[in-house]
Amino acid sequence: MSSRTSSSPLKRSERLARSPVVRRGGQWWLVTGSGSIPATDPTFTGELDRFAAAMAAADQSIADLRSQQDDPPAPRPRRQR
């Protein structure tokens, strides 16, 4: 399993994209109504890390697009005829 860094896309304990997966204390957990178990397979947790990073990048792209929409449009150069 890859180690968690301060640049991790998830907060201290956050569900991953409406899935039954949560990252707590640097470890992935599978959560159900009857309890939770740690995810220990390095291939699986690596995929979760990559998916979380992709989701964070997508969220940032959307935030950037929304902020651009909030900015006033740049003046357009006039055409000369």
Side-chain angles (χ1 to χ4, degrees):
M1 180 164 80
S2 63
S3 63
R4 182 179 168 146
T5 64
S6 60
S7 64
S8 173
L10 296 176
K11 296 177 185 168
R12 185 176 179 126
S13 178
E14 187 174 320
R15 187 169 301 272
L16 179 60
R18 298 186 210 152
S19 72
V21 180
V22 175
R23 181 141 184 150
R24 289 186 198 131
Q27 184 172 6
W28 290 106
W29 291 79
L30 304 175
V31 180
T32 68
S34 59
S36 59
I37 59 170
T40 57
D41 179 82
T43 302
F44 180 59
T45 56
E47 286 300 314
L48 291 173
D49 289 337
R50 283 185 282 286
F51 183 68
M55 289 294 296
D59 288 344
Q60 185 60 53
S61 293
I62 290 169
D64 292 346
L65 287 172
R66 286 183 177 155
S67 71
Q68 288 174 6
Q69 289 176 346
D70 292 342
D71 292 340
R76 297 173 108 186
R78 299 190 121 211
R79 285 180 147 177
Q80 293 181 356
R81 290 185 179 208

